Amino acid sequence: MNEERRIEVEEVDAVAAPPRARVEDARETFERKRDYLDGFLSQKPTDVPNGEPGGATYDAIIDALKDIYDPEIPVNIYDLGLIYNVEVTDAGHAVVTMTLTTPHCPVAESMPAEVELRVGAVPGVGHAEVNLVWDPPWDPAKMSDEARLELGML
């Protein structure tokens, strides 16, 4: 039962190269499918209340906070992670909960007043209130990636 198998070998001088793929050929046979995420990702939320994230008043407050810079660190207080919460009522009452980098910060008295002034100047805000808290304490982990990049921490 021991059959002997033989492999036939054929020697050749050259082999013809297979045809090369061309971009023009691919365009003719394949057309790009519609990217369904394009419209979804560029779409803005509809019917968002002004005081909610994505709402006009809320976003204007965040933009105003991004215009305030810590005098010792060249980063705005929002990206620095000093703003813990922003609440806006339908009546235009804005409450900002924030902290400072340290309780002994030289701007401990003036920074909350500046935040209150800037937030109160946003159109749609009738009254602004700032709550300065120390718990939880600020730490560098609260900074945005943009702030870390600016400070060379990334």
Side-chain angles (χ1 to χ4, degrees):
M1 283 199 93
N2 200 3
E3 291 182 29
E4 194 173 311
R5 291 185 177 179
R6 291 186 154 221
I7 299 175
E8 291 185 29
V9 177
E10 179 183 351
E11 288 187 27
V12 294
D13 292 332
V15 176
R20 298 184 74 177
R22 297 180 189 195
V23 174
E24 294 82 24
D25 298 338
R27 285 187 188 148
E28 292 173 12
T29 57
F30 298 106
E31 66 182 64
R32 181 177 163 91
K33 302 288 186 218
R34 181 176 174 200
D35 192 352
Y36 291 98
L37 286 178
D38 278 345
F40 176 76
L41 294 175
S42 64
Q43 186 176 0
K44 291 284 186 184
T46 55
D47 300 331
V48 176
N50 282 335
E52 296 293 322
T57 305
Y58 183 91
D59 288 348
I61 290 171
I62 299 301
D63 289 341
L65 293 171
K66 287 184 177 183
D67 285 340
I68 304 171
Y69 283 79
D70 186 292
E72 297 174 327
I73 305 171
V75 176
N76 69 65
I77 63 172
Y78 188 81
D79 287 333
L80 199 54
L82 298 179
I83 305 300
Y84 286 170
N85 191 24
V86 174
E87 295 177 21
V88 184
T89 65
D90 291 336
H93 181 77
V95 179
V96 177
T97 304
M98 68 174 292
T99 191
L100 298 173
T101 53
T102 175
H104 305 294
C105 183
V107 294
E109 290 183 21
S110 63
M111 181 71 72
E114 183 178 357
V115 169
E116 186 175 334
L117 183 68
R118 296 273 186 106
V119 170
V122 170
V125 175
H127 176 72
E129 180 182 334
V130 175
N131 294 327
L132 187 62
V133 297
W134 302 108
D135 189 35
W138 178 86
D139 64 84
K142 293 181 179 1
M143 293 191 310
S144 69
D145 288 341
E146 290 83 8
R148 290 179 189 178
L149 185 64
E150 180 72 28
L151 296 174
M153 297 173 72
L154 274 184

